[in-house]
Amino acid sequence: MAIQEHDPLLSVEHLSLSFETTESSVVVLDDISLAIGKDEIVALVGESGCGKSVTAMSIMRLLHSPPAQYKGGNIYFQGEDLLKSSDRHLRDIRGNRISMIFQEPMTSLNPVLTIGDQVAESLTLHNKLTKEETLKAVVDLLEKVRIPGARQRLKSFPTQYSGGMRQRIMIAMAISCKPDLLIADEPTTALDVTIQAQILELLKTLKRETSMSILLITHDLGVVAEFSERIIVMYAGQIVESASTRELFKTPLHPYTQGLLNSLPKLHNLETRLKTIEGYVPSLGKLPVGCHFHPRCSHVMPICRESCPPIIEIKQGHTCRCFLQSEACV
Amino acid sequence: MFSYIIKRILILIPTWILLGILIFFIINMIPGDPVAIMLGTESAENAEIIRERMGLNKPIVERLGIWIFDLLRGDLGESYFLGRSVAQSILERIPVTLSLAFFGMLFSVIIGIPLGILASLKPNSLRDTSIMGFSLLGISIPEFFLGLLLIYALSLGLNLFPSGGYSPLSRGAFSWIRSLFLPSLSIGIIWSAYIARLMRSSMLEVLNQDFITTARAKGQTEYIVVMKHALRNGILPIVTAIGMIFALLLSGAFITEYLFRLPGAGSLIISSIKKRDYPVVQGGLLFFASSILLVNLLVDILYAFIDPRIKYGKKS
């Protein structure tokens, strides 16, 4: 489903991945295809446990094997297939051309190493710098992510920082080598609302300055609406819909996406209760037969209980995995 | 930090006095009579005279008072049997005990920490299972039996080391190390089993932490991820354990000392207990207890240097 006219920066094609143990095998990613263009912000949206973070980790090849096992597909980054790359080559890419910010700023920094050491780490790994150059670069980075008194804080430890400041440090580390792609895995979920806004604003500014692409993983549609240009919706290990942000908010096609948007609070209609999607996310080990969403779907048809709909392009740049749409197409 | 250390040392004083009282009562409550042992089969007529001369006819509380009073002046008393002061007979034994504890600890750390790390890197693999199997063996094997095996293999078999006896450092470093090698190895293997186990579980916990993924996502090599990011965190519980083990070794290597005929503090205490040599037992136990207290203090101070999250004496 290559949507980009030009060659995308990252293109994941039909990626399948499962977690294998001696007792069981659970398909975690099922035929994931997505593309991120240069200078683009793409959001990957879905509930907890739908495979968003695993997608991010699988792009970086950071999943442990066992249990993770790639079952097929390709991950092309700037034309190279990351699934075929050597460990050494992957290490050259990680933190350098693709970098990542994680959900939990409280635990994502090493508690026994100084902030300065940790920010300098990727810099010295991927660049040949003298001590003074590194020091200067670290201070610049900390100033860039708006850490006050950067020079005095190099010797401090993560425990002396608040959650929002730690996330700024994570961002400083992630952008230190001017990556082409930044994967932000729920960067604001663990932070309170005002700090969330600051962090998103910071990411936006940095993006404008450096022209990197961002893959934003989140379950917060509010964040997505104002931040990303394109949205990919995931449900139970599959991509169910993908469209530009404007298009998706205007005409959501998949019943799950519609349900998600309906459950957002609306400013002009505060009286009614928020709508919810009935039921729970199925566990990936016990997926229903047929469409993964059918037990919770209000438009369920007999065919949905028998087979899983394919993902098809409904109109230019808008794909959906639902029999309602393929019926309409036919 | 400095005021914290001072505070900790001041707390040691009441702890120490309490310990002394406890030790004194326990030792003096054991049935048995040093005078009877001293006299053997001789007539009991002299017993009263000797008892009076040794101060044993006084009530126990008075004897305690005298002992504590002497203690505060730095006098541990005279041994009943050795013809020397208690302080002197303990001091004679300290170099043996200390070097045995040191080398034993060295072996256990050198063997245990790498094994624990290796096991943690590939949990449930063949390597992990074999290391944990070795560890289980080390934990279960009786100290004397391992010692005998080592004597049999390395001393009687290959004739590399003496089967026992102690050669002090003053008679040359080489023979000193040779005489301590087997007993230290025997202690080292047993404690390395514990350390390997502890290290493994501590590393497994750390390796699952988010900041390890962060380090990998930076493109860091697996070696640095393990040796810098994980080890600095994973070693913390081991430092506590090493402190405890060292304190234990200072007081508790009786069996190894006996087996290898090392004149250490452990064997001094055991033989003194048999003879009811009260002053030596009291002094010795107090010495052991103090070394445990001191080692604990050292470990706590060391912690502040390894773990920046720990700041003593400061209100956060």
Side-chain angles (χ1 to χ4, degrees):
Chain A
M1 58 149 229
I3 314 161
Q4 296 308 113
E5 302 90 326
H6 49 90
D7 251 5
L9 176 75
L10 174 87
S11 143
V12 177
E13 292 173 3
H14 308 291
L15 180 71
S16 295
L17 183 131
S18 60
F19 284 169
E20 313 261 337
T21 59
T22 41
E23 293 95 45
S24 65
S25 163
V26 177
V27 177
V28 188
L29 299 181
D30 181 7
D31 194 23
I32 298 290
S33 294
L34 58 92
I36 300 167
K38 211 171 163 1
D39 207 10
E40 193 184 24
I41 303 184
V42 176
L44 192 57
V45 186
E47 283 168 272
S48 318
C50 73
K52 301 173 303 227
S53 295
V54 175
T55 307
M57 299 281 274
S58 69
I59 293 170
M60 291 281 266
R61 298 262 323 259
L62 282 172
L63 293 166
H64 289 280
S65 175
Q69 201 99 59
Y70 289 90
K71 287 292 177 186
N74 305 90
I75 302 171
Y76 291 107
F77 176 70
Q78 296 178 331
E80 312 167 62
D81 191 344
L82 295 186
L83 289 184
K84 294 196 177 74
S85 298
S86 67
D87 284 350
R88 171 183 274 274
H89 187 61
L90 281 170
R91 283 201 300 271
D92 284 341
I93 293 176
R94 287 184 200 137
N96 189 15
R97 286 154 64 193
I98 309 179
S99 59
M100 199 161 169
I101 309 169
F102 298 93
Q103 182 171 352
E104 269 300 334
M106 301 312 275
T107 54
S108 295
L109 291 168
N110 194 329
V112 302
L113 299 179
T114 63
I115 295 296
D117 271 355
Q118 294 190 61
V119 176
E121 199 172 4
S122 0
L123 275 172
T124 45
L125 263 173
H126 301 293
N127 302 290
K128 283 197 176 67
L129 294 176
T130 63
K131 253 195 168 142
E132 291 76 45
E133 285 171 333
T134 312
L135 186 71
K136 192 181 169 303
V138 170
V139 173
D140 284 351
L141 279 166
L142 292 184
E143 275 164 2
K144 216 175 215 172
V145 296
R146 320 234 183 334
I147 297 284
R151 193 166 280 277
Q152 291 79 44
R153 287 182 170 271
L154 294 176
K155 287 258 174 287
S156 55
F157 290 93
T159 33
Q160 293 160 286
Y161 282 56
S162 67
M165 276 171 79
R166 289 189 207 187
Q167 199 60 299
R168 284 166 198 274
I169 300 295
M170 287 298 292
I171 294 172
M173 282 169 13
I175 61 165
S176 61
C177 296
K178 303 193 175 61
D180 300 304
L181 174 64
L182 174 71
I183 301 176
D185 186 359
E186 309 229 16
T188 58
T189 306
L191 305 172
D192 69 58
V193 184
T194 44
I195 309 294
Q196 270 186 24
Q198 290 174 13
I199 294 287
L200 287 174
E201 200 47 52
L202 175 68
L203 278 176
K204 258 190 201 166
T205 319
L206 290 172
K207 174 175 179 299
R208 235 176 283 133
E209 288 167 10
T210 59
S211 83
M212 60 185 171
S213 307
I214 297 180
L215 175 62
L216 175 72
I217 293 166
T218 181
H219 62 252
D220 187 342
L221 280 168
V223 167
V224 170
E226 59 171 313
F227 195 72
S228 69
E229 292 147 20
R230 212 147 47 75
I231 298 179
I232 297 165
V233 183
M234 270 188 93
Y235 185 79
Q238 291 179 325
I239 290 178
V240 293
E241 187 165 5
S242 143
S244 72
T245 305
R246 185 188 296 265
E247 165 89 10
L248 194 97
F249 273 85
K250 206 172 73 190
T251 48
L253 293 177
H254 198 283
Y256 177 61
T257 317
Q258 292 164 358
L260 283 182
L261 292 177
N262 280 335
S263 61
L264 283 179
K266 291 179 187 61
L267 277 178
H268 57 266
N269 191 1
L270 289 171
E271 271 88 76
T272 51
R273 276 178 69 96
L274 287 177
K275 290 204 180 71
T276 55
I277 306 175
E278 292 292 318
Y280 298 96
V281 186
S283 131
L284 288 171
K286 285 183 226 135
L287 287 176
V289 181
C291 172
H292 293 174
F293 187 61
H294 86 253
R296 303 173 73 186
C297 184
S298 47
H299 307 286
V300 61
M301 302 178 291
I303 188 176
C304 307
R305 298 199 172 86
E306 280 153 28
S307 56
C308 185
I311 187 154
I312 43 175
E313 191 158 4
I314 310 296
K315 45 185 143 165
Q316 174 71 34
H318 195 157
T319 58
C320 178
R321 187 189 284 277
C322 182
F323 282 121
L324 281 174
Q325 298 308 321
S326 45
E327 302 286 286
C329 271
V330 174
Chain B
M1 185 71 194
F2 185 70
S3 67
Y4 170 79
I5 296 172
I6 299 286
K7 225 183 277 171
R8 280 290 303 262
I9 291 173
L10 287 177
I11 293 173
L12 282 185
I13 295 170
T15 320
W16 203 59
I17 291 175
L18 219 68
L19 260 172
I21 295 172
L22 206 67
I23 288 169
F24 184 87
F25 276 114
I26 290 172
I27 303 300
N28 283 277
M29 298 287 184
I30 320 173
D33 182 1
V35 180
I37 294 167
M38 207 181 274
L39 292 175
T41 49
E42 272 182 50
S43 67
E45 285 159 30
N46 301 326
E48 273 316 306
I49 304 164
I50 295 171
R51 198 164 280 135
E52 209 180 307
R53 208 188 295 157
M54 282 162 52
L56 282 169
N57 57 341
K58 295 189 182 101
I60 191 163
V61 181
E62 196 185 332
R63 279 191 283 147
L64 170 69
I66 293 168
W67 186 61
I68 296 275
F69 185 71
D70 285 345
L71 206 61
L72 293 176
R73 289 186 316 173
D75 181 9
L76 283 170
E78 288 282 325
S79 163
Y80 296 157
F81 296 92
L82 303 171
R84 259 172 296 194
S85 76
V86 172
Q88 200 189 347
S89 43
I90 292 176
L91 278 175
E92 271 173 12
R93 307 290 187 114
I94 285 179
V96 185
T97 299
L98 206 64
S99 34
L100 182 63
F102 175 76
F103 284 116
M105 206 63 247
L106 199 68
F107 272 121
S108 67
V109 167
I110 290 176
I111 303 170
I113 288 184
L115 283 186
I117 296 174
L118 283 175
S120 73
L121 294 183
K122 281 203 175 133
N124 304 320
S125 63
L126 180 66
R127 183 172 79 193
D128 178 31
T129 326
S130 0
I131 291 174
M132 283 305 103
F134 161 79
S135 159
L136 190 66
L137 201 69
I139 290 171
S140 356
I141 199 166
E143 223 173 308
F144 78 91
F145 186 65
L146 179 63
L148 284 177
L149 281 181
L150 289 175
I151 290 176
Y152 185 74
L154 298 176
S155 173
L156 298 181
L158 298 170
N159 209 8
L160 291 172
F161 303 99
S163 66
Y166 177 70
S167 161
L169 186 55
S170 53
R171 268 198 268 148
F174 181 68
S175 57
W176 177 61
I177 288 177
R178 261 190 88 209
S179 71
L180 283 167
F181 192 89
L182 283 187
S184 309
L185 184 63
S186 149
I187 288 173
I189 288 177
I190 284 170
W191 287 104
S192 75
Y194 280 93
I195 292 182
R197 214 151 257 265
L198 210 61
M199 192 73 218
R200 175 183 180 268
S201 65
S202 170
M203 283 296 275
L204 276 180
E205 202 175 297
V206 173
L207 285 169
N208 274 323
Q209 301 257 343
D210 291 342
F211 60 80
I212 296 297
T213 313
T214 306
R216 289 201 178 109
K218 285 176 180 173
Q220 193 54 275
T221 58
E222 204 50 34
Y223 181 78
I224 304 282
V225 169
V226 172
M227 299 310 278
K228 183 174 157 195
H229 288 273
L231 193 57
R232 285 278 315 257
N233 287 279
I235 201 86
L236 292 171
I238 315 300
V239 173
T240 319
I242 288 174
M244 291 307 295
I245 294 172
F246 191 72
L248 271 175
L249 287 180
L250 283 180
S251 61
F254 308 119
I255 296 172
T256 308
E257 283 178 11
Y258 252 76
L259 187 66
F260 289 92
R261 290 178 283 120
L262 294 176
S267 46
L268 171 72
I269 301 295
I270 293 286
S271 59
S272 302
I273 289 174
K274 277 198 290 195
K275 287 183 285 189
R276 300 286 183 275
D277 196 344
Y278 295 145
V280 178
V281 181
Q282 288 159 9
L285 288 186
L286 200 61
F287 163 72
F288 291 154
S290 324
S291 59
I292 290 180
L293 289 177
L294 276 177
V295 169
N296 274 341
L297 175 62
L298 281 179
V299 167
D300 281 352
I301 294 169
L302 196 63
Y303 242 78
F305 286 102
I306 309 179
D307 190 345
R309 281 167 296 187
I310 295 173
K311 289 269 180 295
Y312 294 125
K314 265 188 207 160
K315 288 186 186 108
S316 54

